[in-house]
Amino acid sequence: MAPTPETLTAERILEATEEVLRRHGPANATVVDVARALGVSHGSVYRHFRTKAGDDPELFAT
């Protein structure tokens, strides 16, 4: 039987976002990058956060 995927939560998205920001920088990080890091579609990320800047303003502050 295939492993059950971990539930997508806002906390998991934010953790992945932090990693993507460290890797790509705020100017180059995209929601698609975050979704790929999580193994989900970018639409799934948008269900939790409507906009990149709306995710967490402190994460995207330069």
Side-chain angles (χ1 to χ4, degrees), residues 30-55:
T30 68
V31 173
V32 173
D33 294 327
V34 174
R36 283 185 185 143
L38 291 164
V40 300
S41 71
H42 65 278
S44 296
V45 174
Y46 279 119
R47 286 181 181 219
H48 292 272
F49 299 101
R50 297 285 179 222
T51 65
K52 178 178 174 179
D55 290 351

Side-chain angles (χ1 to χ4, degrees), residues 3 8 14 21 42 45 54:
L8 186 62
L14 291 174
L21 286 169
H42 65 278
V45 174

Side-chain angles (χ1 to χ4, degrees), residues 56-61:
D56 187 339
E58 291 181 20
L59 287 178
F60 294 98

Side-chain angles (χ1 to χ4, degrees), residues 15-30 32-38:
E15 289 171 359
T17 300
E18 288 175 1
E19 178 60 34
V20 167
L21 286 169
R22 280 194 284 279
R23 193 174 322 134
H24 299 289
N28 297 318
T30 68
V32 173
D33 294 327
V34 174
R36 283 185 185 143
L38 291 164

